Amino acid sequence: MYDTLLVPTDGSEAALDAAKHGFSLGERYDATVHVLAVVEQSESAAIVGQGDAKLESLREHGTEATQKIVTEAFSRDVDAVGAVEVGNPDRTILEYADSHSVDMIVMSTHGRSGVGRFLLGSVTERVIRNGEIPVLAIQR
């Protein structure tokens, strides 16, 4: 049923909680879990004047976040792959899912509610609204 799962991460505990649900599905369906960190394009555009050091720092943070989850997957005997991309988070997640034939996205909602959620929107909500791939949204 599920051969390929995608777990987006920002390095937060909420993302790690969502990944645990991804591991469970990976174990059950013998699926590969792809772990994706997205360096926001707006952040990378803002750092142009600061040089490549800031962009590299953001990429390193993304690499550390994905590696933490990949290592946890391996400890549970789940196949996992990590990646770091630069771009708009929701679009990049959906493009990655499409290009890697992902069967389901498992991601955290970060538990935002009220005005903050209304004003800022949610990456998870935009992925659900704009994608055609099933999304398991884990509320923390």
Side-chain angles (χ1 to χ4, degrees):
M1 178 173 230
Y2 301 112
D3 295 322
T4 308
L5 304 166
L6 175 59
V7 176
T9 184
D10 58 3
S12 67
E13 287 300 314
L16 185 56
D17 287 346
K20 291 175 184 176
H21 289 274
F23 302 153
S24 179
L25 289 168
E27 290 169 337
R28 182 173 193 173
Y29 295 105
D30 195 29
T32 300
V33 176
H34 287 246
V35 183
L36 174 66
V38 180
V39 175
E40 277 197 71
Q41 192 168 7
S42 61
E43 286 186 48
S44 58
I47 62 174
V48 170
Q50 297 178 18
D52 294 333
K54 181 66 175 175
L55 179 59
E56 187 57 33
S57 173
L58 292 170
R59 283 184 191 266
E60 285 177 21
H61 174 73
T63 300
E64 289 171 11
T66 58
Q67 194 56 44
K68 180 178 181 180
I69 294 174
V70 167
T71 299
E72 178 72 20
F74 288 159
S75 76
R76 295 172 182 240
D77 203 27
V78 174
D79 289 334
V81 177
V84 179
E85 303 280 337
V86 176
N88 174 286
D90 52 296
R91 279 189 240 141
T92 302
I93 290 166
L94 290 170
E95 288 168 4
Y96 184 96
D98 185 51
S99 68
H100 290 84
S101 301
V102 168
D103 299 306
M104 178 184 279
I105 300 170
V106 181
M107 61 191 302
S108 171
T109 64
H110 287 278
R112 287 194 183 115
S113 61
V115 176
R117 179 171 162 205
F118 177 74
L119 293 175
L120 298 175
S122 162
V123 172
T124 304
E125 285 183 88
R126 289 190 300 271
V127 167
I128 292 169
R129 190 172 46 242
N130 297 321
E132 296 179 12
I133 298 166
V135 177
L136 176 58
I138 307 300
Q139 185 168 354
R140 183 153 200 246

